[in-house]
Amino acid sequence: MSTKTKKGRFGRFGGMFAPETLMPALWEAEEAYERFRGDAHWQTEYQRLLETYNGRPTSLYEAVNLGMRLTGGRARIFLKREDLNHTGAHKITNALGQALLARFMGKERLIAETGAGQHGVATATAAALLGMSCDIFMGTVDMERQKPNVFRMNLLGANVVPVDSGGKTLKDAVNEALRDWTKTVKNTHYAFGSVLGPHPFPFIVRDFQSIIGKECRAQIKKAAGRLPDEVVACVGGGSNAIGIFSAFIKDKNVKLTGVEAGGKGLRGNKHAVRLTPSPYAKPGVLHGSYSYVLQDKSGQIADTHSVSAGLDYSGIGPEHAHLFESGRAAYTYATDTEAVAAFKMLCEAEGIIPALESSHAVAYVIKQAPKLADGSIIVVNLSGRGDKDIDSVAKFLGESI
Amino acid sequence: MNRYKNVFDNVKKRGEAAFIPFAVAGDPGPDAFVDVVAAYVKGGADVLEIGYPFSDPIADGPVNQRAAQRAIKAGFDHSAFFSAIKKIRAFTDIPIGLLAYANTISHLGNDDFCKKAAKAGVDSLLVADMPPEESGELMKSMRKHGLGRVFIVSEFTPDERMRDICRNVDSFVYVVSRPGITGIDTTLSASVKTTLARLKKVTDKPLAVGFGISTPEHVSEVVKAGADGVIVGSALVNEIEKAAVRGVDPAAVLRKKARSLKAATSFAQIHFGL
């Protein structure tokens, strides 16, 4: 959009599309993050927490049963076990980093948005650990859908702020968190949960999550003696995908594949697919950055649908938009039905209950299996565990718990 | 732009500040919105500030967001907007400022949007989520089609940036009265005075103050603090909502409210309590 400055850009995407009242807070976060990155004391503390509290490094596990079942052993499938992180997903790694950054800046209060509650729980956890006050913004529709997570956040000492505006889901929670922040920047840090929002957040969150890729690159070399042929991750906002992709972007022979939420399919608007062409997907501005955004024919942000709350969002991280347009990463989608089938298959084949988000990435591998070359190696980022999803899956299958 | 200059010059000569009421286009419906604006004009509006309804207005409070939702629900879109502005232009010649969000403009394309807006009769454009850093391309289109530029400054805006912003502005500077978002306040922030004083050191362009200004008393205070214009939004939009809920025509109430707000912009009224 602007050619005047390339600050905070991934190709033509990203930027700082923020109200003037927020600009000083964004500069402050940008400047503080640069210092935080270079500060040995704080970096040591972050590493210590990652190892002793977060549970890093997470393991890389070869899903032999799944590989046999899908390819008869022709191809090897590895799972990056982000489901083994404290609080059950990769989100905690970013939340701990952001909470430390907030403390580094001298802020006493953390705010965050949450959809399914995963990032909310992670932020509430980090706030409890570091003795900060914490407000989590959550749509009232999501609060109703995710009652256990609301209770978890309360147990962790966070205040869950019900958001009753708009569609009352994740998008509205981000709106409300941004509005709060414009009033409270002096003592408050907004811990964005994904590679979204105005600069510097897509960069900060990517940096914190890039540890997934760094670990994985070393682990796969050790386990298989070479780099993988393909790395697959689900993409909501896109932080787990950027996290694992980041270490392989320069390896042109490693195919990078992002899997979006196909919901009920691309006919109609019951999906959250931003990077496969459809009448709804168009570059635009949502929540501070220029990226692909699902919108209606009048330019209003469209509602989305996915069986997985964590992928149910109209925008996508600007770096993904750039990786898509530059052709470095490929993007596809899995429907609700395919994701639930993958969820079940992983439970049965490997004894791992994956998050519904991550199940989309597994679903892609299931579809792709017949086409995999002999001896090929594919890594799936298993971004979270699925205990939180058993109600949704039971409901989807028409079963009662 | 000339429309702005004339208005700010004239109100100054009369010992007043410009009264700038705000409404969301298409609220409570496409035609009813035009009636709302007509009531503002009859009530003494010097300038109009029109918000383009957007589904995710991050700089707005709940009152204006609900207004946008009413408009969107009623099927308001780009063509409805341009035709509403044309209808307004048929009965008034006062400046029309447009407040939009970036996605609304990028959806149509910068050039197409600016061309159509200027042709319909819009005088200036302020994009709530587009700071000067991101406005380069859009400003080219605005210049090309003769749309005036408005940017926001707040008490947090550093001096040097204030100067830059004021240089870029050619219609008026939108001064927010306090940090945060649009809404109805009971008291006026004390920082307005300081912000206006800082601005006067770096610019002689008209300064219009908005956000949270809800009563004639607030208007008087802001004018006393040195504002050239006063923007009243949520307090009026709230009346539109109340009327919409009851299913009555808001025109009479808005006209009356506008008159009392306009009266409060007069220095005579402030100094002599007339």
Side-chain angles (χ1 to χ4, degrees):
Chain A
M1 196 166 259
S2 165
T3 52
K4 200 173 161 191
T5 168
K6 290 289 169 212
K7 196 176 182 188
R9 292 276 169 163
F10 302 94
R12 66 185 183 116
F13 299 104
M16 284 174 124
F17 290 86
E20 185 63 28
T21 45
L22 264 189
M23 294 301 282
L26 298 175
W27 301 322
E28 185 192 356
E30 183 184 26
E31 184 273 331
Y33 182 64
E34 280 309 311
R35 282 190 293 119
F36 176 83
R37 255 172 124 175
D39 188 302
H41 168 76
W42 286 85
Q43 289 304 316
T44 308
E45 178 59 9
Y46 184 41
Q47 289 309 318
R48 188 185 70 82
L49 288 180
L50 289 183
E51 281 167 33
T52 60
Y53 186 81
N54 181 132
R56 300 213 80 101
T58 61
S59 62
L60 182 72
Y61 164 74
E62 181 168 4
V64 176
N65 298 340
L66 188 68
M68 284 303 293
R69 192 156 162 172
L70 293 177
T71 73
R74 284 186 306 107
R76 299 176 73 181
I77 301 166
F78 288 84
L79 305 177
K80 177 60 175 159
R81 298 290 307 276
E82 291 298 303
D83 58 315
L84 298 178
N85 284 304
H86 181 40
T87 72
H90 68 295
K91 295 284 184 193
I92 187 71
T93 301
N94 170 52
L96 285 171
Q98 297 248 19
L100 280 174
L101 174 62
R103 287 285 302 270
F104 176 75
M105 288 192 281
K107 314 255 172 178
E108 302 133 23
R109 176 173 174 256
L110 273 185
I111 55 170
E113 81 292 348
T114 200
Q118 291 308 101
H119 177 56
V121 168
T123 306
T125 300
L129 177 70
L130 297 177
M132 303 176 75
S133 83
C134 181
D135 290 294
I136 303 294
F137 293 83
M138 191 171 188
T140 48
V141 169
D142 287 335
M143 284 177 76
E144 188 55 37
R145 285 197 286 208
Q146 306 285 339
K147 276 184 188 161
N149 271 342
V150 174
F151 189 62
R152 266 183 203 109
M153 289 184 268
N154 288 331
L155 285 174
L156 293 160
N159 173 42
V160 179
V161 183
V163 175
D164 217 17
S165 58
K168 303 166 192 189
T169 61
L170 177 59
K171 177 168 80 70
D172 311 285
V174 177
N175 290 340
E176 223 44 55
L178 282 167
R179 287 170 183 146
D180 178 283
W181 203 33
T182 60
K183 286 181 258 185
T184 58
V185 289
K186 272 187 187 143
N187 74 339
T188 299
H189 179 66
Y190 182 2
F192 261 93
S194 191
V195 285
L196 297 166
H199 178 70
F201 288 102
F203 285 86
I204 293 178
V205 179
R206 180 197 45 189
D207 265 18
F208 286 136
Q209 295 296 3
S210 65
I211 192 168
I212 304 172
K214 283 178 197 147
E215 288 174 6
C216 182
R217 200 168 192 281
Q219 287 164 328
I220 191 74
K221 276 170 121 176
K222 198 173 166 202
R226 67 173 179 94
L227 293 178
D229 298 292
E230 185 170 2
V231 175
V232 184
C234 64
V235 187
S239 70
N240 90 81
I242 287 295
I244 196 161
F245 288 176
S246 61
F248 298 98
I249 284 176
K250 284 184 186 149
D251 305 307
K252 302 289 181 210
N253 293 328
V254 179
K255 189 181 174 202
L256 305 175
T257 304
V259 187
E260 299 184 271
K264 295 183 176 169
L266 252 55
R267 244 175 293 165
N269 62 354
K270 296 280 182 205
H271 63 79
V273 177
R274 293 112 341 152
L275 296 181
T276 296
S278 79
Y280 296 94
K282 230 187 135 173
V285 176
L286 175 64
H287 296 147
S289 60
Y290 183 63
S291 184
Y292 275 78
V293 180
L294 290 174
Q295 43 193 307
D296 68 15
K297 59 179 173 28
S298 313
Q300 306 296 347
I301 306 305
D303 285 329
T304 52
H305 163 83
S306 170
V307 68
S308 144
L311 304 182
D312 204 352
Y313 180 66
S314 327
I316 187 167
E319 189 170 6
H320 284 292
H322 176 58
L323 290 172
F324 166 68
E325 284 200 348
S326 69
R328 179 59 193 96
Y331 293 84
T332 180
Y333 60 90
T335 62
D336 286 351
T337 307
E338 291 165 338
V340 170
F343 176 98
K344 286 186 72 181
M345 188 185 284
L346 201 66
C347 290
E348 291 160 14
E350 298 289 347
I352 294 171
I353 303 178
L356 272 175
E357 290 80 10
S358 325
S359 300
H360 285 71
V362 177
Y364 166 79
V365 176
I366 294 172
K367 276 194 280 188
Q368 208 59 16
K371 296 179 215 158
L372 291 176
D374 285 2
S376 59
I377 297 173
I378 188 163
V379 173
V380 179
N381 197 19
L382 206 70
S383 55
R385 69 171 181 236
D387 306 59
K388 67 180 175 65
D389 292 319
I390 52 170
D391 285 333
S392 304
V393 172
K395 200 176 153 199
F396 188 87
L397 297 172
E399 293 169 20
S400 54
I401 295 180
Chain B
M1 276 172 280
N2 284 333
R3 280 201 184 103
Y4 278 112
K5 192 169 174 359
N6 291 341
V7 164
F8 282 109
D9 285 352
N10 288 340
V11 291
K12 201 167 207 169
K13 271 184 220 151
R14 294 201 303 263
E16 301 164 7
F19 167 53
I20 311 176
F22 168 89
V24 173
D27 172 41
D31 293 329
F33 158 67
V34 176
D35 296 341
V36 161
V37 171
Y40 286 169
V41 172
K42 282 183 194 143
D46 298 300
V47 173
L48 295 163
E49 184 75 1
I50 304 300
Y52 192 103
F54 182 52
S55 52
D56 294 81
I58 55 174
D60 281 297
V63 174
N64 289 348
Q65 177 164 18
R66 286 198 299 271
Q69 275 163 352
R70 283 192 294 274
I72 293 165
K73 213 173 158 193
F76 203 73
D77 60 10
H78 285 111
S79 68
F81 174 75
F82 297 126
S83 94
I85 297 295
K86 279 180 199 154
K87 281 182 194 158
I88 293 166
R89 266 290 162 251
F91 63 78
T92 181
D93 198 39
I94 67 175
I96 298 176
L98 174 60
L99 176 69
Y101 283 84
N103 198 65
T104 298
I105 297 162
S106 77
H107 184 85
L108 207 59
N110 288 340
D111 214 57
D112 199 21
F113 186 91
C114 291
K115 188 177 163 186
K116 285 176 175 156
K119 200 176 157 215
V122 171
D123 293 281
S124 68
L125 175 60
L126 164 61
V127 187
D129 53 350
M130 203 190 265
E133 287 87 339
E134 301 291 357
S135 304
E137 286 296 310
L138 178 61
M139 278 201 284
K140 276 186 214 162
S141 297
M142 287 164 69
R143 282 205 182 86
K144 184 171 152 195
H145 298 290
L147 270 188
R149 300 178 298 280
V150 176
F151 284 103
I152 281 181
V153 297
S154 82
E155 62 184 280
F156 295 151
T157 312
D159 285 339
E160 199 186 325
R161 185 175 177 82
M162 253 183 194
R163 246 192 302 273
D164 281 350
I165 289 176
C166 291
R167 256 200 301 272
N168 272 314
V169 160
D170 63 0
S171 303
F172 63 90
V173 182
Y174 194 125
V175 186
V176 298
S177 69
R178 47 154 174 75
I181 52 175
T182 62
I184 303 170
D185 291 1
T186 45
T187 56
L188 193 69
S189 161
S191 64
V192 183
K193 212 172 167 176
T194 333
T195 311
L196 286 170
R198 284 176 59 212
L199 274 161
K200 280 179 188 290
K201 280 186 200 157
V202 300
T203 188
D204 53 7
K205 290 183 181 153
L207 308 175
V209 177
F211 280 33
I213 298 174
S214 313
T215 65
E217 290 72 29
H218 293 166
V219 172
S220 295
E221 276 183 67
V222 170
V223 174
K224 237 190 288 183
D228 304 299
V230 187
I231 304 158
V232 181
S234 304
L236 292 167
V237 175
N238 193 42
E239 296 298 333
I240 300 171
E241 176 165 70
K242 281 200 290 196
V245 168
R246 291 202 309 265
V248 299
D249 181 2
V253 155
L254 292 174
R255 209 162 48 229
K256 196 173 151 215
K257 219 166 166 156
R259 275 202 190 110
S260 72
L261 292 161
K262 173 56 201 172
T265 69
S266 151
F267 285 103
Q269 201 253 9
I270 293 162
H271 292 296
F272 309 113
L274 296 173

